[in-house]
Amino acid sequence: MDSEAPYRRIAAEIRGWILNGRLRSGDRIPSTRQISARWGVAMATATKVIAVLRDEGLVDTKPGSGTTVRATRQASVTRHRELDCDRVVRAAMAIADAEGMSAVSMRRVATDLGVATMSLYRHVGNKEDLTLLMADAAAAEVVVHAQPPAHWRSRLEFSCRLLWTICRRRPWVAEVMSMTRPRAAPHLLFYSEWVLTALRDLGLGMDDMMYVHLNLFSHIRGLALSVQAEARERQDTGLTSDEWMDTQETAFLDIVSDGRYPTMAQVVTQEFEQDLDVMFEFGLRLLLDGVTKAADRGPAGRARPAGPQG
């Protein structure tokens, strides 16, 4: 079943008209009203279509003139090397490494490469495809020669640490991955393959295999998203995590001073260094100790947990 949002499908179709020359520089693209009528979508969806094409640098909206195909300039492709998919992906990765995934757009990548935005679409379908290629390339740098050990726990530890290494090196990878809506990428697939193989060899059933796999994945991705968020906050505020916590101490002390939170009153006065690498290892050990106990109980002890009681 095609789960792509309607506005993205429509934007892709109009983008194709621009790239194949059906719509040329200066031509008007369908208006929001025309999009709504032609594709049978709401005006809000049609507005999103225009916004996507504008963000991609393919069109310009001018008062009184509607939305037209942007005039293209001759691409100044580096003489010694033609534009290809790898160059596009590497340029996007460099932007994400320096400024975070939010800075990556088709227009920005094209600007950094010195080419017209439309030329990128000969190599990548859209920004979503580009981000997946970026994450897969980041994984390839780490996993291409990796060999997981045979023992189930060692294999799980190895696989999780490898994914953590990828996310630690490039925290934006965590933004591309999803637990509920995964996308297929050959080098990122190593994690699921190795983890599920270890759990299958341990004798877990399908439900238990998947729940363990997804809990491990959530542990890694959640911490990696915190790495990314902390990098943005540090850039925005100029404060380290410890420095920022110092600015919050008075507010916490004011709240706990009335005696309602005695444990928090004790905790906020103690020194604690939050180390995400230590937190990763700590959480991984707890999760795998739980898997060990579940395996020791046998199939009868691994039933799906009951839902919340009313």
Side-chain angles (χ1 to χ4, degrees):
M1 183 173 67
D2 187 359
S3 60
E4 187 178 23
Y7 76 93
R8 293 198 180 279
R9 291 199 299 271
I10 299 167
E13 186 170 346
I14 297 175
R15 184 191 304 123
W17 296 351
I18 296 172
L19 296 178
N20 65 24
R22 177 174 170 180
L23 290 174
R24 300 180 181 277
S25 297
D27 288 349
R28 285 190 182 186
I29 69 168
S31 66
T32 52
R33 189 175 301 278
Q34 290 169 330
I35 291 172
S36 178
R38 180 185 179 102
W39 282 277
V41 296
M43 289 293 288
T45 299
T47 300
K48 286 185 179 181
V49 173
I50 302 295
V52 167
L53 296 171
R54 188 166 53 242
D55 289 345
E56 292 174 348
L58 297 177
V59 300
D60 291 306
T61 301
K62 299 177 182 178
S65 301
T67 302
T68 59
V69 178
R70 174 172 291 185
T72 59
R73 296 171 295 181
Q74 181 65 35
S76 55
V77 178
T78 306
R79 292 177 182 175
H80 68 277
R81 191 151 56 100
E82 292 295 325
L83 188 66
D84 57 22
C85 183
D86 184 65
R87 281 194 67 205
V88 174
V89 171
R90 292 296 167 183
M93 291 172 71
I95 295 169
D97 287 345
E99 304 174 43
M101 186 62 83
S102 61
V104 177
S105 68
M106 300 296 274
R107 182 186 300 182
R108 171 63 189 280
V109 173
T111 297
D112 282 17
L113 287 170
V115 300
T117 303
M118 283 186 287
S119 66
L120 301 187
Y121 293 102
R122 300 188 183 96
H123 308 285
V124 294
N126 51 44
K127 182 181 174 181
E128 285 67 35
D129 290 346
L130 174 59
T131 58
L132 186 61
L133 290 169
M134 291 164 59
D136 197 57
E141 295 172 343
V142 176
V143 306
V144 66
H145 297 301
Q147 292 293 329
H151 184 266
W152 73 266
R153 179 155 182 155
S154 297
R155 178 178 286 253
L156 291 181
E157 290 174 344
F158 181 84
S159 304
C160 290
R161 287 177 182 139
L162 210 60
L163 185 58
W164 176 243
T165 297
I166 293 167
C167 292
R168 206 63 171 99
R169 290 177 61 180
R170 291 192 159 101
W172 48 262
V173 171
E175 295 186 43
V176 180
M177 299 187 300
S178 172
M179 181 177 70
T180 58
R181 300 190 179 195
R183 292 184 291 164
H187 295 102
L188 279 173
L189 200 60
F190 83 92
Y191 171 79
S192 297
E193 173 66 19
W194 294 351
V195 168
L196 291 173
T197 298
L199 297 174
R200 181 199 62 193
D201 293 348
L202 188 58
L204 298 186
M206 178 57 65
D207 282 358
D208 291 331
M209 285 170 56
M210 291 305 299
Y211 281 124
V212 171
H213 158 50
L214 293 173
N215 272 280
L216 290 170
F217 174 77
S218 296
H219 173 59
I220 301 165
R221 182 174 183 265
L223 287 177
L225 289 172
S226 294
V227 173
Q228 180 79 324
E230 173 58 26
R232 282 196 296 264
E233 292 293 337
R234 184 164 187 170
Q235 186 178 50
D236 292 344
T237 66
L239 300 175
T240 66
S241 177
D242 288 340
E243 290 169 341
W244 185 85
M245 287 298 294
D246 289 341
T247 69
Q248 302 300 305
E249 184 175 359
T250 299
F252 277 105
L253 289 173
D254 286 345
I255 292 173
V256 302
S257 63
D258 64 3
R260 287 185 298 166
Y261 306 106
T263 302
M264 283 302 301
Q266 178 185 6
V267 168
V268 296
T269 61
Q270 304 299 310
E271 291 292 329
F272 172 69
E273 182 178 354
Q274 183 173 270
D275 186 314
L276 291 179
D277 291 307
V278 173
M279 194 177 302
F280 163 74
E281 290 292 342
F282 187 86
L284 179 61
R285 184 172 67 251
L286 290 179
L287 286 165
L288 295 187
D289 285 349
V291 175
T292 300
K293 290 182 179 179
D296 289 343
R297 288 196 298 268
R302 296 200 298 273
R304 179 182 297 195
Q309 299 298 311

